[in-house]
Amino acid sequence: MKKLAIKMNLWAKSTALLLGVSAMVSCSGFLEEEVVSQIGNNYLNTPKGLNDGVNAAYSTMRTWYGTERGNNFTTFGTDLFTNGADGSWKFMNTYTNQFDSQNGHVRELWDQFYQGINTCNAVIDRSANVTGVSEAVVLQRISEAKFIRAHHYFIMVQLFGAIDLQLSETTGPTKEVTRTPVAAIYAAIIKDLQEAIPNLEAKAKSSDYGRATRPAAEHLLGRVYLTKGTSEAGEAADYGKAETLLKSVIDNYGFSLLPDFGDVHGFGNEINNEVIWSTQYTYDPLTTGGGNNAHVFFLMEYDVQPGMQRDVENGRPYKRFRSTDYTLNTIFADRVNDSRYKNTYVDHFLSNKPGTYNTTFDKSKASVTYARGDTTIWLPGYNMTEAERAKYPYQVLTPELYTERLFPPMKKQKDPGRADRTQFAGGRDYIAMRLADTYLLLAEAQFRQGKIDLATENINVVRRRAAFPGKEADMEISESELTFEFITEERARELIGEQTRWLDLIRWGILVERVKAYNPQGAPNIQDFHTLRPIPQNQIDRAEGNASAFPQNPGY
């Protein structure tokens, strides 16, 4: 997908609701890009301005999906991942007092999402002045803006709790902001999505791929209700409403799980029958913003090992996120029937730097010699004696040898399409919603209502697809085996590394206990107040009345 970047010179409020963001316009079934600048205030009132305004709002999805920021918020400080050797954001995993209101990620997310929200507000408010375009198109663009606005508020309310709710365009500087109650934020999110759904395209893929569709909005609203159900705003009917919406996504639009779990995140297969909605990136450095850089964070330090050097195929290893022992030994305990460990983690490396070398981590042999293409490192996933490792003509990285630099790297987000081995800004679309997640959310909603038979079958749909060929029956569970703990583990097996885990743990109310139990780096410092993130200090400072009008979350 290609995109267009434009800058709109529209006034915004001092809480960083600044309308000066990248945008995308549709062309020939995808979003085509060029760079435009110095657009007047009335531009948004034109047919092209309406379209470009919506596309500007879409670009703010890149604040969250596929970024270090979005991954740190959702991957660090959970039961599934702890920190690797590198990076300056480890405090988001260890929950030390460095994680405070001056946090750059917090400030950037807050400012950029509110930019996107105000762009949506402008599109919605100005749409009444647009002529020369059909009513159906205007309604679709308004609905896309409401989808984006709802998305941003949904992420924000989960992270921060009560936040400033703005549903009309801010055209001049103002310091009048308040922390709107969580229940009112959820009511606004639900209203936006309910109003958007009828006017979005009722098909699996938009004719301009990347735009929000009806099933994307239904999936999002289903998750909203499921999350609201366990929040302070929860109501008894929330789970039933989630069930109806999620069933509609599965039944009505022609989505299907891919036969092979390994193909879901296959490079070049980002548009497939399982994808409900994704955030669009491109390899053009002029228009992709910071790019999708998720490809660097889950990798180990392979590039200084004997027989290896950094290359595009194996990736640029930032060594940020390292799977916990709980993830490797409990979540992925079944590697006989379940293909997801094999298809999630890299288990070997092939030499791209032939020669003879002294060994580094595997001292069962003194040296190793490799021709190009030979195996250099094997990660079997289980321990061996030194004598057993010595039988292999390459280094064997077993669990007892794992470190913050050497550990099983994940391959879901790898991007071999980058121009060179140093390129940070990847170009792969980031899959934000997919059908397997819909099945699992549906099962959770049904489980909450005591519909164990239906929930079990929906879990089994996902598990049968995840099976190695011929092992489908062995992957099925019975109703008596379906527990809440099983649901938490199944979501981990399916969705690990896809920016869901911290939000899942918050929804379930178990973040603190799970980090204490399974994340040794985070366990000593995490406290109950860490279930919310700190409000950025610059937001508090620019509010009229400062902290008395816009108070900080407790503990920060």
Side-chain angles (χ1 to χ4, degrees):
M1 171 194 262
K2 300 181 181 178
K3 304 97 185 168
L4 166 142
I6 79 174
K7 294 182 179 178
M8 298 186 200
N9 293 332
L10 299 176
W11 285 99
K13 69 189 298 182
S14 62
T15 51
L17 309 186
L18 183 62
L19 217 58
V21 291
S22 297
M24 306 167 283
V25 293
S26 63
C27 175
S28 303
F30 50 74
L31 303 182
E32 187 71 36
E33 279 189 332
E34 59 180 304
V35 176
V36 184
S37 62
Q38 301 304 316
I39 292 174
N41 187 57
N42 291 325
Y43 179 70
L44 201 60
N45 301 331
T46 68
K48 192 173 188 301
L50 173 71
N51 190 69
D52 291 348
V54 174
N55 293 332
Y58 274 117
S59 75
T60 60
M61 292 287 187
R62 295 173 176 174
T63 299
W64 183 251
Y65 293 108
T67 61
E68 183 172 23
R69 183 187 310 110
N71 276 282
N72 282 347
F73 271 119
T74 54
T75 302
F76 258 165
T78 67
D79 51 354
L80 299 185
F81 287 97
T82 188
N83 56 267
D86 293 347
S88 57
W89 298 94
K90 294 177 185 176
F91 59 82
M92 295 186 72
N93 178 58
T94 57
Y95 293 98
T96 66
N97 59 11
Q98 288 179 277
F99 195 177
D100 59 19
S101 62
Q102 302 291 347
N103 182 302
H105 281 345
V106 168
R107 181 177 61 252
E108 292 157 4
L109 180 72
W110 186 280
D111 289 353
Q112 292 174 36
F113 263 14
Y114 271 117
Q115 290 173 17
I117 288 167
N118 199 50
T119 305
C120 293
N121 293 341
V123 167
I124 294 165
D125 291 352
R126 305 279 194 99
S127 63
N129 301 323
V130 177
T131 59
V133 63
S134 71
E135 181 182 6
V137 170
V138 171
L139 289 174
Q140 182 179 342
R141 297 294 177 261
I142 292 171
S143 297
E144 291 175 64
K146 289 183 176 181
F147 170 88
I148 298 165
R149 184 168 71 179
H151 172 277
H152 287 7
Y153 274 126
F154 182 45
I155 297 295
M156 297 276 279
V157 76
Q158 292 174 90
L159 296 178
F160 302 106
I163 53 176
D164 187 35
L165 180 64
Q166 296 289 333
L167 299 175
S168 58
E169 181 186 3
T170 303
T171 57
T174 177
K175 292 186 174 183
E176 295 179 9
V177 291
T178 58
R179 294 197 65 176
T180 304
V182 167
I185 301 294
Y186 271 108
I189 293 167
I190 290 167
K191 183 174 184 289
D192 265 353
L193 291 171
Q194 287 176 333
E195 292 177 353
I197 286 169
N199 299 307
L200 294 172
E201 290 184 87
K203 53 187 180 181
K205 294 178 176 61
S206 170
S207 54
D208 288 334
Y209 188 77
R211 295 192 182 279
T213 60
R214 188 176 299 179
E218 289 179 348
H219 175 99
L220 179 57
L221 184 53
R223 180 159 189 149
V224 167
Y225 275 122
L226 188 60
T227 305
K228 175 176 174 286
T230 58
S231 76
E232 62 189 79
E235 299 175 282
D238 287 336
Y239 300 126
K241 292 177 179 178
E243 180 183 16
T244 299
L245 288 155
L246 297 166
K247 285 177 65 177
S248 175
V249 175
I250 292 168
D251 295 340
N252 294 332
Y253 302 100
F255 294 108
S256 60
L257 297 180
L258 299 190
D260 187 339
F261 174 82
D263 291 338
V264 176
H265 290 277
F267 176 69
N269 196 37
E270 291 81 11
I271 302 175
N272 63 62
N273 290 336
E274 189 166 331
V275 176
I276 297 170
W277 185 77
S278 57
T279 295
Q280 308 302 297
Y281 285 96
T282 172
Y283 289 104
D284 185 343
L286 181 64
T287 54
T288 197
N292 176 356
N293 31 72
H295 60 94
V296 304
F297 302 125
F298 298 90
L299 305 180
M300 80 169 205
E301 192 176 70
Y302 75 90
D303 53 338
V304 297
Q305 303 307 319
M308 299 300 302
Q309 61 184 342
R310 185 186 304 175
D311 61 15
V312 174
E313 178 66 30
N314 289 295
R316 183 178 177 182
Y318 269 45
K319 305 179 288 295
R320 294 291 198 268
F321 305 133
R322 174 170 58 98
S323 296
T324 60
D325 290 344
Y326 165 72
T327 300
L328 299 173
N329 300 331
T330 300
I331 297 301
F332 291 105
D334 181 4
R335 303 177 192 179
V336 174
N337 303 307
D338 195 331
S339 74
R340 286 175 292 193
Y341 179 85
K342 175 72 172 177
N343 284 309
T344 298
Y345 292 96
V346 176
D347 62 5
H348 70 283
F349 290 86
L350 302 179
S351 178
N352 59 15
K353 189 179 180 182
T356 298
Y357 304 87
N358 293 330
T359 54
T360 50
F361 57 84
D362 179 6
K363 294 302 183 177
S364 66
K365 70 259 334 180
S367 65
V368 284
T369 300
Y370 303 123
R372 185 170 298 276
D374 285 350
T375 298
T376 59
I377 304 171
W378 178 40
L379 297 88
Y382 55 85
N383 283 322
M384 301 178 180
T385 66
E386 184 171 333
E388 288 175 314
R389 283 188 276 117
K391 296 176 184 178
Y392 297 94
Y394 41 77
Q395 296 201 96
V396 182
L397 181 58
T398 54
E400 64 188 356
L401 301 177
Y402 294 166
T403 68
E404 290 188 356
R405 296 184 178 277
L406 298 173
F407 51 82
M410 269 184 43
K411 57 187 176 184
K412 278 185 176 180
Q413 311 294 356
K414 287 174 66 174
D415 187 353
R418 295 171 298 125
D420 59 59
R421 63 185 183 176
T422 65
Q423 185 176 347
F424 181 65
R428 296 187 66 182
D429 294 346
Y430 193 94
I431 300 173
M433 303 176 191
R434 62 183 179 92
L435 190 63
D437 188 17
T438 314
Y439 274 108
L440 295 175
L441 293 172
L442 174 58
E444 186 178 333
Q446 292 167 333
F447 182 86
R448 295 282 190 184
Q449 298 173 84
K451 300 178 180 180
I452 306 303
D453 56 339
L454 298 177
T456 302
E457 176 49 33
N458 283 310
I459 290 283
N460 281 335
V461 170
V462 175
R463 286 182 62 79
R464 283 192 293 267
R465 189 279 294 276
F468 283 115
K471 297 290 187 177
E472 291 80 5
D474 296 308
M475 282 287 284
E476 293 184 356
I477 63 167
S478 65
E479 293 177 28
S480 63
E481 293 175 295
L482 183 60
T483 62
F484 173 73
E485 180 71 9
F486 191 92
I487 290 173
T488 69
E489 293 179 356
E490 191 63 23
R491 285 189 64 79
R493 281 185 282 271
E494 183 70 27
L495 300 168
I496 187 171
E498 297 183 40
Q499 293 192 208
T500 61
R501 192 59 173 185
W502 195 90
L503 300 176
D504 283 345
L505 295 176
I506 290 296
R507 180 173 77 254
W508 299 327
I510 60 173
L511 172 70
V512 176
E513 67 181 73
R514 296 302 285 257
V515 170
K516 286 183 175 180
Y518 301 122
N519 185 331
Q521 281 73 23
N525 299 316
I526 192 168
Q527 300 180 53
D528 289 344
F529 71 81
H530 286 121
T531 55
L532 290 176
R533 306 303 201 175
I535 302 295
Q537 189 61 43
N538 66 334
Q539 169 61 72
I540 296 171
D541 292 344
R542 63 197 173 199
E544 186 172 352
N546 304 125
S548 62
F550 209 92
Q552 180 58 267
N553 280 329
Y556 294 103

